[in-house]
Amino acid sequence: MQDTTSPLRRSVLYVPASNDKALAKCASLACDTVIFDLEDAVAPERKPAARERLREFLAGDGRPGCEVVVRINALGSEWGTEDLLAARAVKPDGILLPKVNGPRDILDADAALDEMDAPRSVKLWAMIETARAVLNLGPIAELGQNPAARLACLVAGTNDLARETGMSLAPERGYMTPFLLQMVMAGRAGSLGVIDGVANDFRDLEAFGRACQDARAMGFDGKTLIHPAQIGPANAAFAPQPTEVAEARAIVAAFALPENRERGAISLEGRMVERLHLDMAQTLLARARAIEEKQQ
């Protein structure tokens, strides 16, 4: 069952750390999480300047109030260590590791953060964007059950997976769906957040809305975004719908009746409802309350 206390991550927006205009705008956006990107979105020659710009920006008044994550370059790259130092300095909620292949990549980053005396509140996120990562999903996700580990979230890197495997990224993603479902299963087994990959055509919001609905049906918490126009559709798609809220409230109310409090299953409107459905209803209502509070 999904943790009712997990943060909202319906809309997770990538913002290039080298883009001053995008940085200035991000605090006014309604996304749940911002990933400040030092990796793919920044050209090699601009990485040092982007790193320093990010330090300056997140130390100022423009820092967004939502969850803040920094995507660094791989620790084995020429930029990785300096990126990690910069990320630790700006006190993010999370650090997103690219090109994760197995548990060792996460444990090495965890150890490096410990050496930097980073607070345990700084979590690690892992990009699942290589074939080896997909094959190692189980061992990776098991780190989520380790109280000493920082791993908190898995993020699908669908573009890189398509590049490495040759799988089609057609809108329906039929060939990639089995691997995305494996990621959701692994994430839930490890009590981790799971975020779907980006949709590259940010102009077709109708298709994007359908992609979000599919991702939610697969069990993802939210979707990574490349443009602010995608925030509204993502927030809407990953929010409980009014009919779902009404049904959840009915289930909670039914089990609260004196005659049902000790029962494992009851009949409600012509169908059998078990306590597992009560747990699901309570999770959905907690999510609806969190969204309502965020909008106030």
Side-chain angles (χ1 to χ4, degrees):
M1 184 181 66
Q2 185 180 353
D3 185 356
T4 59
T5 63
S6 61
L8 289 174
R9 290 171 181 147
R10 301 164 297 169
S11 49
V12 180
L13 179 68
Y14 286 111
V15 172
S18 58
N19 188 324
D20 284 340
K21 183 178 178 180
L23 291 175
K25 188 177 182 180
C26 66
S28 65
L29 301 175
C31 52
D32 292 331
T33 304
V34 174
I35 298 176
F36 293 100
D37 192 10
L38 293 169
E39 197 218 11
D40 283 350
V42 180
E45 64 274 11
R46 300 190 66 187
K47 289 185 186 293
R51 192 184 301 131
E52 295 310 311
R53 179 69 184 99
L54 185 62
R55 287 180 189 262
E56 176 187 308
F57 173 75
L58 289 179
D61 296 335
R63 185 185 181 111
C66 64
E67 186 176 38
V68 169
V69 176
V70 178
R71 179 162 72 168
I72 66 173
N73 287 273
L75 283 182
S77 72
E78 61 184 287
W79 309 286
T81 299
E82 289 300 320
D83 282 357
L84 189 64
L85 285 166
R88 185 259 182 269
V90 300
K91 302 176 181 178
D93 298 293
I95 296 172
L96 177 55
L97 304 176
K99 308 297 187 292
V100 167
N101 286 316
R104 177 49 52 192
D105 297 311
I106 297 160
L107 292 172
D108 287 347
D110 202 337
L113 286 172
D114 284 344
E115 289 179 3
M116 297 174 188
D117 291 323
R120 299 303 300 180
S121 58
V122 178
K123 301 302 182 182
L124 289 172
W125 292 27
M127 291 291 301
I128 305 300
E129 56 185 344
T130 69
R132 286 181 63 192
V134 173
L135 293 177
N136 288 323
L137 271 169
I140 290 170
E142 282 180 6
L143 294 177
Q145 298 288 356
N146 182 349
R150 297 173 185 263
L151 186 62
C153 192
L154 305 178
V155 181
T158 46
N159 283 330
D160 279 278
L161 275 174
R163 176 185 58 80
E164 183 169 313
T165 64
M167 280 186 287
S168 170
L169 270 179
E172 64 277 4
R173 299 193 302 178
Y175 295 106
M176 193 165 287
T177 296
F179 304 104
L180 295 174
L181 289 170
Q182 287 182 47
M183 181 177 159
V184 172
M185 285 289 193
R188 296 306 177 219
S191 301
L192 301 170
V194 281
I195 310 298
D196 191 18
V198 300
N200 296 316
D201 187 353
F202 58 83
R203 296 164 300 182
D204 190 345
L205 294 181
E206 184 177 344
F208 176 73
R210 292 194 298 271
C212 288
Q213 293 288 354
D214 288 344
R216 185 188 175 198
M218 279 190 272
F220 283 100
D221 298 311
K223 196 163 179 67
T224 45
L225 317 176
I226 58 172
H227 194 278
Q230 296 174 319
I231 295 172
N235 283 348
F238 286 97
Q241 302 304 300
T243 54
E244 294 175 308
V245 172
E247 181 180 353
R249 286 174 175 162
I251 291 172
V252 171
F255 273 104
L257 294 173
E259 63 268 28
N260 293 333
R261 286 176 183 167
E262 303 300 324
R263 299 181 64 182
I266 62 174
S267 175
L268 179 64
E269 298 179 358
R271 65 188 183 97
M272 185 183 72
V273 179
E274 301 177 79
R275 292 225 163 242
L276 66 90
H277 298 110
L278 174 61
D279 291 340
M280 293 167 66
Q282 290 170 332
T283 296
L284 185 142
L285 292 175
R287 187 173 180 85
R289 285 193 298 271
I291 293 170
E292 184 177 353
E293 290 170 3
K294 183 179 177 69
Q295 292 172 340
Q296 290 176 353

